[in-house]
């Protein structure tokens, strides 16, 4: 170990961590080389000879506690590795010194900058993109090893089944219904919200604003003061959308009267639900509740939803998988850019809309609203993603992530092998671009169920399909390509996105999925102030991994 006590990594702490993991730590490269040669002599039974004159003052043996550890490890190596002596006979000083006369070839592990420096010197170098598993944390490495070697179920087989369930069948639009009559478990006094369970007292500003707007929209109160009294009374119940097979963007508030899309996954027959998208700016899901917001919601309930439902009845079921595939090949990524998808659904339904026995003015309002709202398609993509993932929730032992969500306070995930269990972490602050007059000090923490799109590996992880989105969420076109790694992406030579997210690999590799999302103002009643990028807190995945190991390993 080389360094000084002044190094910002903490020299003593690094040495202590290595020793606690069973590593022999030597005070110099010279002593480490000598010890390595001594171990090789023990293993091969061959004397390699002196490496050269010992520098004045240098000790051959390691210091104090490392000395005993080194001798013990050398003896263990000699005992365990005697059978490998034939392969090590050529190891020795002459062999090592020959490297300097025959030319050096390097393999670089870790920091790529070292490889670049050697390459600049025209030295043969191969860089390996390697980091210690699980960030080098012994506890997590042990958990990964247990799942690898001591699992009571075949995890790879379970994950293969989960993937098969996800890929089998396609999501289709069945129609539009009211939340009270359509969503399982919905009640007249129940409001659904995004993310994990949260009480009124702990709700963030945007969610409180959306609840206020929901109570006004339902006609349960007339003033904001009455809203606060009712919300605090306990007479209104709150429950996560995803506990009811629904998903809600941003605050995600779903009230009994609201109209919802009904998406069904063929093959399994499970359904998922989401409200109709209001557009951007001052809208309920961002916490706004002005008269303009309420009037729009009532128009959507009374005119938009009934007309779209009749158009779907004339059209028949709409294949959402086909539309999403096309949208990603036309410049969308399925979360923050939905212009192509919205155009496709308009093309799909317009011929049926114009044939309805409705006033021209009403049809014009419907088509104009869809045309002017590029995010209209998002509220179809979200329940489609949810419906696709739901069948994987019933696979014991699977480590596939099946749900993610945020409520403006906490970020949560669920994994297939632990159905119904939420693993939580703090919701982060989104880094992105802000509307004029707003900045990061105005931002609420990350919020919304729209991360279900990233869970089904579109959205942020498919940004290569939509490099233009960086003008909206921040970053560069190179970032958009880098974040994408199985919907086919033209710019990637039609290589697909991943199919699922495996919680084991997230912890092992330390690579968190990228989420692109909107930014709500931290105070209620204001609405959208920007958009950007965020990642989930890693402890969600770490906690889920530990829980899987506790249940599925010996």
């Amino acid at each position: 170990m080389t360094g000084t006590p002044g190094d910002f990594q903490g020299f003593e702490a690094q040495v202590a961590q290595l020793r606690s993991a069973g590593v022999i730590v030597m005070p110099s490269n010279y002593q480490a080389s000598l010890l390595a040669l001594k171990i090789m002599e023990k293993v091969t039974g061959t004397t390699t000879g002196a490496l050269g004159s010992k520098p004045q003052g240098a000790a051959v043996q390691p210091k104090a506690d490392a000395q005993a550890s080194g001798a013990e490890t050398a003896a263990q190596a000699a005992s365990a590795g005697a059978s490998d002596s034939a392969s090590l006979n050529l190891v020795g000083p002459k062999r090592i010194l020959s490297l300097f006369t025959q030319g050096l070839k390097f393999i670089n592990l870790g920091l790529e900058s070292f490889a670049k420096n050697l390459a600049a010197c025209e030295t043969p170098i191969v860089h390996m993109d390697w980091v210690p598993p699980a960030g080098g944390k012994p506890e997590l490495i042990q958990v990964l090893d247990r799942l690898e070697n001591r699992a009571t179920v075949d995890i790879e087989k379970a994950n293969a089944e989960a993937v098969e369930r996800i890929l089998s069948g396609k999501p289709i639009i069945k129609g539009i219904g009211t939340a009270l009559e359509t969503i399982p478990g919905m009640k007249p006094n129940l409001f659904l919200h995004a993310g994990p369970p949260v009480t009124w007292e702990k709700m963030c500003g945007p969610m409180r604003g959306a609840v206020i707007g929901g109570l006004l929209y339902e006609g349960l109160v007339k003033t904001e003061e009455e809203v606060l009294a009712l919300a605090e009374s306990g007479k209104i119940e709150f429950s996560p959308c995803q506990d009811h097979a629904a998903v809600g963007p941003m605050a995600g508030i779903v009230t009994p009267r609201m109209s919802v899309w009904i998406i069904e996954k063929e093959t399994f027959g499970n359904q998922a639900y989401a409200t109709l998208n209001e557009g951007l700016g001052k809208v309920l899901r961002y916490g706004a509740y002005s008269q303009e917001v309420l009037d729009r919601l009532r128009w959507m309930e009374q005119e938009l939803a009934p007309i779209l439902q009749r158009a779907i009845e004339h059209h028949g079921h709409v294949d959402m998988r086909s539309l999403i595939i096309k949208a990603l090949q036309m410049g969308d990524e399925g979360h923050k850019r939905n212009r192509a998808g919205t155009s496709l659904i308009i093309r799909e339904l317009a011929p049926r809309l114009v044939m309805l026995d409705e006033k021209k003015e009403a049809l014009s309002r419907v088509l104009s609203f869809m045309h002017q709202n590029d995010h209209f398609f998002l509220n179809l993509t979200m329940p489609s993603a949810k419906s696709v993932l739901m069948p994987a929730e019933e696979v014991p032992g699977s480590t596939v992530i099946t749900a993610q969500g945020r409520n403006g306070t906490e970020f949560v995930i669920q994994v297939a092998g632990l159905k119904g269990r939420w693993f939580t972490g703090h919701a982060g602050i989104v880094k992105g671009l802000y509307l004029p007059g707003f900045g990061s000090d105005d931002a609420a923490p990350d919020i919304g169920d729209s991360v279900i799109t990233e869970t089904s590996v579109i959205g942020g992880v498919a940004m290569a399909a939509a490099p233009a989105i960086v003008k909206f969420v921040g970053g560069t076109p190179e970032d958009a390509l880098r974040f994408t790694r199985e919907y086919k992406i033209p710019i990637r030579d039609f290589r697909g996105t991943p199919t699922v997210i495996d919680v084991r690999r997230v912890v092992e590799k330390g690579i968190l999925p990228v989420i692109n999302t909107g930014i709500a103002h931290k105070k209620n009643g204001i609405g959208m102030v920007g958009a950007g990028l965020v990642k989930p807190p890693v402890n969600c995945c770490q906690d889920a991994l530990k829980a899987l190991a506790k249940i599925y390993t010996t």
Side-chain angles (χ1 to χ4, degrees):
M1 187 76 169
T2 59
T4 71
D7 289 347
F8 76 91
Q9 298 97 330
F11 182 82
E12 290 86 356
Q14 294 292 326
V15 171
Q17 185 173 358
L18 287 168
R19 285 180 175 160
S20 69
V23 176
I24 304 170
V25 181
M26 305 298 289
S28 73
N29 287 332
Y30 177 76
Q31 292 186 8
S33 299
L34 284 180
L35 178 59
L37 283 174
K38 291 295 183 183
I39 293 173
M40 291 176 188
E41 289 178 0
K42 290 285 187 180
V43 171
T44 62
T46 303
T47 301
T48 58
L51 186 61
S53 299
K54 181 175 62 175
Q56 187 174 1
V60 175
Q61 295 295 336
K63 290 183 179 178
D65 57 330
Q67 180 174 355
S69 173
E72 180 183 350
T73 304
Q76 292 171 347
S79 173
S83 61
D84 296 330
S85 60
S87 62
L88 292 171
N89 279 335
L90 296 178
V91 176
K94 292 182 179 180
R95 183 70 172 170
I96 294 172
L97 291 172
S98 70
L99 294 173
F100 297 94
T101 59
Q102 297 177 8
L104 296 173
K105 297 179 181 179
F106 291 91
I107 297 175
N108 184 64
L109 300 177
L111 295 176
E112 189 176 4
S113 58
F114 293 156
K116 289 180 178 178
N117 289 336
L118 288 167
C121 297
E122 299 183 351
T123 301
I125 176 73
V126 174
H127 174 68
M128 296 190 66
D129 186 10
W130 180 88
V131 294
K137 296 181 179 179
E139 180 189 8
L140 293 174
I141 293 173
Q142 291 170 8
V143 171
L144 288 167
D145 286 343
R146 285 169 58 194
L147 287 167
E148 179 73 21
N149 301 309
R150 294 165 49 192
T152 57
V153 296
D154 188 333
I155 293 177
E156 298 303 329
K157 184 177 180 181
N159 283 343
E161 181 180 348
V163 170
E164 178 63 25
R165 284 171 171 258
I166 289 170
L167 295 179
S168 297
K170 60 191 177 188
I172 58 173
I173 303 175
K174 290 279 288 187
I176 298 174
T178 60
L180 183 60
E181 298 171 351
T182 304
I183 296 178
M186 196 67 182
K187 300 184 293 185
N189 68 328
L190 178 64
F191 279 27
L192 305 183
H193 61 77
V198 64
T199 61
W200 168 259
E201 291 75 20
K202 293 184 178 180
M203 285 182 183
C204 65
M207 189 172 287
R208 281 194 168 211
V211 170
I212 293 171
L215 291 170
L216 291 168
Y217 165 71
E218 289 286 333
L220 298 175
V221 294
K222 293 184 179 179
T223 67
E224 187 172 339
E225 291 71 22
E226 292 176 351
V227 166
L228 297 176
L230 181 57
E232 294 171 355
S233 70
K235 294 179 181 179
I236 300 298
E237 298 179 17
F238 301 103
S239 183
C241 286
Q242 296 200 58
D243 284 351
H244 299 262
V247 278
M250 300 307 290
I253 296 300
V254 182
T255 70
R257 277 176 49 190
M258 287 184 179
S259 302
V260 294
W261 292 107
I262 304 170
I263 304 294
E264 181 173 297
K265 182 173 182 178
E266 291 185 336
T267 304
F268 293 92
N270 59 286
Q271 293 184 344
Y273 316 91
T275 56
L276 280 63
N277 192 282
E278 311 159 75
L280 295 176
K282 290 188 175 182
V283 290
L284 186 78
R285 70 180 187 277
Y286 279 94
Y289 52 88
S290 64
Q291 191 60 47
E292 172 192 357
V293 173
L294 300 177
D295 289 345
R296 184 190 305 113
L297 288 172
R298 293 183 179 118
W299 171 78
M300 292 171 68
E301 173 195 350
Q302 296 165 9
E303 185 169 89
L304 176 66
I307 288 177
L308 288 176
Q309 169 60 17
R310 286 193 282 275
I312 293 168
E313 290 172 355
H314 282 265
H315 180 284
H317 299 159
V318 180
D319 180 354
M320 275 299 298
R321 171 172 284 177
S322 174
L323 294 185
I324 293 172
I325 289 172
K326 291 177 182 177
L328 264 69
Q329 295 182 6
M330 295 169 62
D332 283 1
E333 40 67 68
H335 188 166
K336 290 307 294 179
R337 193 180 195 279
N338 297 279
R339 184 171 296 175
T342 298
S343 298
L344 289 168
I345 194 65
I346 291 174
R347 288 177 57 185
E348 198 76 26
L349 296 180
R352 309 295 176 174
L353 284 167
V354 298
M355 295 303 294
L356 296 178
D357 187 16
E358 298 284 348
K359 293 181 179 180
K360 292 182 179 180
E361 294 81 4
L363 294 176
S364 176
R365 285 191 292 268
V366 168
L367 286 168
S368 295
F369 178 79
M370 295 169 69
H371 168 67
Q372 293 165 8
N373 177 11
D374 284 345
H375 270 50
F376 188 83
F377 195 67
L378 173 62
N379 287 43
L380 284 164
T381 304
M382 287 174 56
S384 296
K386 181 67 176 176
S387 72
V388 163
L389 292 162
M390 286 170 66
E393 295 173 352
E394 302 172 4
V395 182
S398 173
T399 56
V400 169
I401 296 177
T402 53
Q404 298 183 94
R406 312 92 95 201
N407 61 18
T409 302
E410 293 180 309
F411 191 110
V412 292
I413 70 167
Q414 290 188 358
V415 293
L418 300 169
K419 182 179 180 181
R421 288 186 60 178
W422 292 108
F423 297 92
T424 66
H426 291 296
I429 296 295
V430 181
K431 296 181 180 179
L433 302 178
Y434 288 85
L435 300 176
F438 299 102
S440 57
D441 291 341
D442 301 306
D446 193 19
I447 187 172
D449 285 336
S450 56
V451 68
I452 197 70
T453 58
E454 279 82 9
T455 315
S456 67
V457 288
I458 54 177
V461 293
M463 282 176 61
I469 198 175
V470 298
K471 297 297 183 182
F472 184 44
V473 301
T476 66
E478 289 75 18
D479 289 334
L481 293 173
R482 180 166 52 86
F483 293 147
T484 299
R485 291 287 190 248
E486 206 46 73
Y487 286 95
K488 305 299 181 184
I489 309 295
I491 200 171
R492 285 288 194 184
D493 196 23
F494 289 90
R495 177 184 175 183
T497 65
T499 305
V500 295
I501 302 172
D502 185 339
V503 71
R504 297 175 303 166
R505 301 297 171 242
V506 173
V507 174
E508 177 189 357
K509 303 295 185 183
I511 300 174
L512 296 165
V514 175
I515 303 159
N516 53 31
T517 187
I519 305 174
H521 199 285
K522 62 186 178 183
K523 295 181 180 179
N524 62 44
I526 296 178
M528 178 182 178
V529 296
L533 303 173
V534 71
K535 293 183 178 181
V538 69
N539 76 282
C540 295
C541 296
Q542 293 172 347
D543 292 345
L545 190 79
K546 294 174 186 177
L548 285 163
K550 186 175 182 179
I551 293 176
Y552 292 111
T553 66
T554 57

